[in-house]
Amino acid sequence: MRSDKIKAGPGGAHVRALLYGMGFIKEEIERPLIGVVNSQNEIVPGHRLLDRVAEAVKHGVLLAGGSPVEFPSIGICDGIAMGHDGMKYPLASRELICDSIEAMAVGHQFDGLVLIPNCDKIVPGMLMAAARLNIPAVVVSGGPMRTGFLDGRTLDFNSVMEKIGQCKNGGCSEEELERVAEQACPGCGSCSGLFTANSMNCLTEALGMGLPFNGTALCDSGERIRIAKAAGLKIMQLVKDGIRPRDIMTEKAFENAITVDMAMAGSTNTVLHLPAIAHEAGLRLELATFDRISEKTPYIAKLSPSGHHHLEDLHRAGGIPAIMNELSKKGLINEGCMTVTGLTAGENTADTPIRDNSIILPADSPYRNRGGLAILRGNLAPDGAVVKESAVAEEMLRHSGPAVVFDSEEEASAAIWGKKIKKGDVIVIRYEGPKGGPGMREMLSPTSSIAGMGMDKDVALLTDGRFSGASRGASIGHISPEAMDGGLIGLIRDGDIIHIDIPGRKLSAELSDDEIAARRSAFKPPEPKAKTGYLARYSRLVTSANTGAVLK
C-alpha cells in the first residue's frame, strides 16, 4: 500500500503515534487510507448537504475494509459571486482546489481518494487533481436541485437573472421578481438546469470518473446516498486492482465526454475545463477536437437554458447512460473505455435505453444533426471562440452589426440597463479574459439582462471573458487571444462592423490589414487590474482560454 511508506514498520511509529492520538486503532491503521475530499460549506446551495454524501462515502469505504479520512476543499458559488469583483475568483479557485488536494494527498500518502464536489469550478478542480496525482480516485457529486415552479411554469436560477432584466426594463414589479426569487431554487443542490455545474457532473460520468447517474440523481434523494456508498466500495476495488485515473481518462474517454457534451449542449465552460483536466493527465485537447466531434454528433437532449427540461427530467428519461447508449447506436461512443465501476463505458450503458423520447430524442431524429456548442475562428478569434449554438435564436445565427465597446462587465451592464443598446448592436466586453480580468468573469448579468429585456434576438455579445452555463442568446466568449495579450478584440472601436456566422464557424471584424496594423502599433495595454495577492500571481501565470486557462 502507498500509505505503508509512512505508517508501516519501525520507521512509521511516529505516524502511528499521531493516528493513535486521534483514536485510530491498530486495525484501522493497517488498512488502506482513503482520503475523502469534502467541499461542503454553508454558502453554496450545491454544497450545503455534502456532509450527507461524505458520511455515505465513509460507510462504503468501511464496508469494503478501508479507513476513510475526511479533509476539506474550498468552493465558491458562481451565482453569489456573479456581477461583482468576487467573480474574478471562481476560475482561479480551480487551481487552488487542485493544488490543495495535491498537497494533502502527497503529504499524507493516501492510497486512494473519493472526491466530493458539486458546483462549477470545484468539479474540474478535483478532476484535475485526480489526473495530476494519478492515484486511484472516484468522483461522487452532490447532485442537482429540484426544479422550481410558479403559476404552472418551471423555474431555475436563470429565471431570476432574466427577471431582473425584465424588472429593470419596467416589465414586471419588484414584488413579482421576489415571488420568482422565492420559488426558483426550491432546495439544495447544483442549480437545476444544464449549467456549468451539472454539465461537469454529467461529463464526469461520461469521462468514466463517476458512477452511473452521478450527474443526474437529485441532491436530496436516497439514490444520491446509495451512489455515494457505492463510490466508497468502488474506491477500495480500484486500490486493490491498481486502476488509476490516467487508465480511465484517456484520449478516447475525453472524446466520449465531448460527444455527450455536444449531444446535450452543455455549458460553454466545458470547453475551458476539459482541456485543463486533459492537460493534467498529460494529454493535449485542442479546440479543433470539439468542432470535429460536434460535426458528427446529433443534438438529442435540449435542457435549460437551451430548452425547458431540467436535470430531474433527464434523470427520469435515463440520464447520461441512456444518452451514451443512444449515441453508441451511431458508433459515436468509444465503448471500450475503462471506468471507475471496473466495467467499460459500453458495459455500463448497454442496458439503459431512453425511457422518455420527449426528453431524449432518438439519434435518428435529433433536434439538429450537429452538436450544441460551436468553435468560431476569424481575425477576431484566430485561436478560437466558443458559443452555445443551441441557445441562439435562429435569426441571430448569422448577424452583422456595429460594435459597442466596453472595457469591463460593469460598464456594459450599466449601458444595457440604461437602455443605451440598440437593436442590431454587437456588444464587445474586453479585458475580462484570464489575464485581463483577471479570472475570466462570467457574464450572466449582461446576457440575462438582454434576454429579460426581450433583446436576445436582436443583440449579440462578444467577450474575452466567459459566460455562465445559464446564458442564452448570441453570446460568444473565450475570444483568444484576449485583449490583454494583444488580441484584436483590444483594438476594436465603437462602430466597427462585426460579422458573426455561427453555422459557418466565423467571427471577424470588417477591418483591413493596414488598419489593424496601424491600430496595433499605437496600442498600449492597460495596467494589470490586480497588483497584489493571489489574483496578481494568477494573472502572471495563467494562459489563454483556448488552452483551458491552465497555469504556466
Side-chain angles (χ1 to χ4, degrees):
M1 290 185 295
R2 187 170 183 260
S3 61
D4 281 347
K5 188 186 302 183
I6 62 168
K7 63 183 174 65
H14 64 296
V15 174
R16 295 196 298 276
L18 295 169
L19 295 176
Y20 286 138
M22 289 186 287
F24 279 72
I25 62 174
K26 186 172 181 289
E27 287 79 3
E28 288 178 297
I29 295 172
E30 291 174 347
R31 294 174 176 180
L33 297 183
I34 305 300
V36 178
V37 190
N38 184 3
S39 55
Q40 189 274 343
N41 60 48
E42 295 184 352
I43 190 63
V44 185
H47 290 234
R48 182 67 177 84
L49 300 182
L50 291 187
D51 279 348
R52 296 171 67 244
V53 176
E55 284 301 314
V57 166
K58 289 188 283 186
H59 280 302
V61 172
L62 289 166
L63 282 169
S67 293
V69 182
E70 184 178 338
F71 64 89
S73 165
I74 64 168
I76 299 175
C77 178
D78 284 49
I80 294 174
M82 194 78 64
H84 56 88
D85 279 352
M87 183 41 79
K88 295 180 179 182
Y89 284 88
L91 181 60
S93 77
R94 187 186 71 179
E95 318 306 314
L96 283 175
I97 291 163
C98 179
D99 291 349
S100 65
I101 293 171
E102 175 195 355
M104 287 292 289
V106 177
H108 302 101
Q109 292 294 300
F110 290 114
D111 295 294
L113 296 173
V114 179
L115 303 152
I116 308 174
N118 209 28
C119 291
D120 296 29
K121 312 308 166 298
I122 303 93
V123 183
M126 289 192 178
L127 282 167
M128 289 165 66
R132 180 187 295 178
L133 290 162
N134 201 33
I135 62 175
V138 180
V139 176
V140 55
S141 305
M145 69 171 60
R146 296 184 184 275
T147 309
F149 287 92
L150 180 65
D151 300 331
R153 295 179 294 117
T154 59
L155 299 174
D156 53 39
F157 177 74
N158 197 37
S159 307
V160 184
M161 296 298 294
E162 293 190 4
K163 203 71 173 178
I164 292 171
Q166 187 180 346
C167 184
K168 286 180 178 289
N169 197 38
C172 75
S173 66
E174 290 189 23
E175 290 75 17
E176 185 179 349
L177 171 60
E178 198 63 20
R179 286 182 70 220
V180 172
E182 288 173 349
Q183 301 299 322
C185 300
C188 290
S190 47
C191 294
S192 58
L194 191 62
F195 312 145
T196 305
N198 287 326
S199 295
M200 289 307 304
N201 285 329
C202 288
L203 296 191
T204 297
E205 194 179 325
L207 191 57
M209 288 297 294
L211 299 178
F213 304 105
N214 174 72
T216 56
L218 287 168
C219 173
D220 59 1
S221 66
E223 184 175 7
R224 176 57 53 186
I225 300 304
R226 294 196 300 274
I227 290 171
K229 288 178 181 176
L233 294 170
K234 289 297 180 184
I235 187 60
M236 293 301 296
Q237 191 64 46
L238 293 174
V239 169
K240 179 183 176 182
D241 295 341
I243 298 174
R244 300 168 183 262
R246 294 190 190 185
D247 300 325
I248 295 168
M249 289 192 277
T250 62
E251 183 177 344
K252 289 188 181 298
F254 278 100
E255 289 180 354
N256 283 349
I258 296 171
T259 300
V260 171
D261 197 15
M262 295 300 168
M264 62 182 189
S267 165
T268 52
N269 286 313
T270 59
V271 184
L272 201 62
H273 298 320
L274 289 176
I277 299 163
H279 173 76
E280 295 293 350
L283 302 171
R284 186 172 176 82
L285 196 55
E286 304 279 0
L287 289 188
T289 304
F290 288 83
D291 233 18
R292 172 176 61 79
I293 292 174
S294 179
E295 282 293 327
K296 62 181 182 179
T297 303
Y299 174 34
I300 60 174
K302 195 171 190 177
L303 284 79
S304 176
S306 300
H308 65 275
H309 292 129
H310 291 82
L311 265 290
E312 63 189 85
D313 302 312
L314 178 61
H315 187 66
R316 188 173 64 253
I320 299 305
I323 288 178
M324 294 181 73
N325 181 305
E326 188 64 21
L327 294 171
S328 293
K329 296 175 184 177
K330 294 287 187 181
L332 297 173
I333 294 295
N334 298 305
E335 296 184 61
C337 291
M338 177 56 65
T339 75
V340 293
T341 65
L343 303 174
T344 65
E347 290 169 333
N348 282 341
T349 61
D351 297 323
T352 49
I354 299 170
R355 299 191 186 108
D356 188 334
N357 280 127
S358 70
I359 297 169
I360 304 173
L361 300 186
D364 286 331
S365 53
Y367 290 106
R368 50 172 76 131
N369 287 316
R370 68 179 179 185
L373 302 182
I375 308 300
L376 311 184
R377 296 184 188 272
N379 66 359
L380 249 179
D383 292 337
V386 184
V387 63
K388 183 179 278 195
E389 182 177 6
S390 63
V392 180
E394 194 70 27
E395 48 266 64
M396 289 298 292
L397 290 172
R398 290 184 173 89
H399 178 77
S400 295
V404 186
V405 183
F406 304 96
D407 287 347
S408 72
E409 178 189 1
E410 287 84 355
E411 293 175 18
S413 292
I416 294 166
W417 294 334
K419 301 182 181 179
K420 296 179 181 178
I421 303 300
K422 304 184 299 295
K423 288 186 177 182
D425 283 347
V426 178
I427 301 168
V428 177
I429 306 177
R430 61 193 181 191
Y431 299 111
E432 291 287 6
K435 290 182 182 178
M440 204 179 182
R441 289 193 289 178
E442 290 185 344
M443 305 288 167
L444 182 57
S445 183
T447 60
S448 58
S449 296
I450 289 167
M453 293 176 176
M455 297 176 66
D456 56 302
K457 297 180 180 179
D458 305 299
V459 172
L461 196 156
L462 316 181
T463 183
D464 52 7
R466 59 197 176 91
F467 296 108
S468 164
S471 293
R472 63 185 177 94
S475 303
I476 300 168
H478 303 204
I479 290 177
S480 301
E482 63 176 290
M484 202 69 176
D485 259 354
L488 182 59
I489 188 173
L491 308 179
I492 296 298
R493 297 173 182 169
D494 287 344
D496 289 343
I497 300 301
I498 306 296
H499 298 294
I500 300 166
D501 181 359
I502 295 173
R505 304 306 198 240
K506 299 291 186 184
L507 178 65
S508 60
E510 195 175 293
L511 295 171
S512 68
D513 291 343
D514 289 344
E515 177 62 20
I516 292 171
R519 293 187 189 184
R520 181 157 280 132
S521 66
F523 173 73
K524 290 183 180 179
E527 286 291 313
K529 294 176 185 175
K531 297 178 172 59
T532 60
Y534 177 61
L535 284 180
R537 297 197 303 276
Y538 179 84
S539 67
R540 289 194 297 269
L541 297 173
V542 71
T543 59
S544 176
N546 67 294
T547 66
V550 298
L551 301 186
K552 294 176 184 174

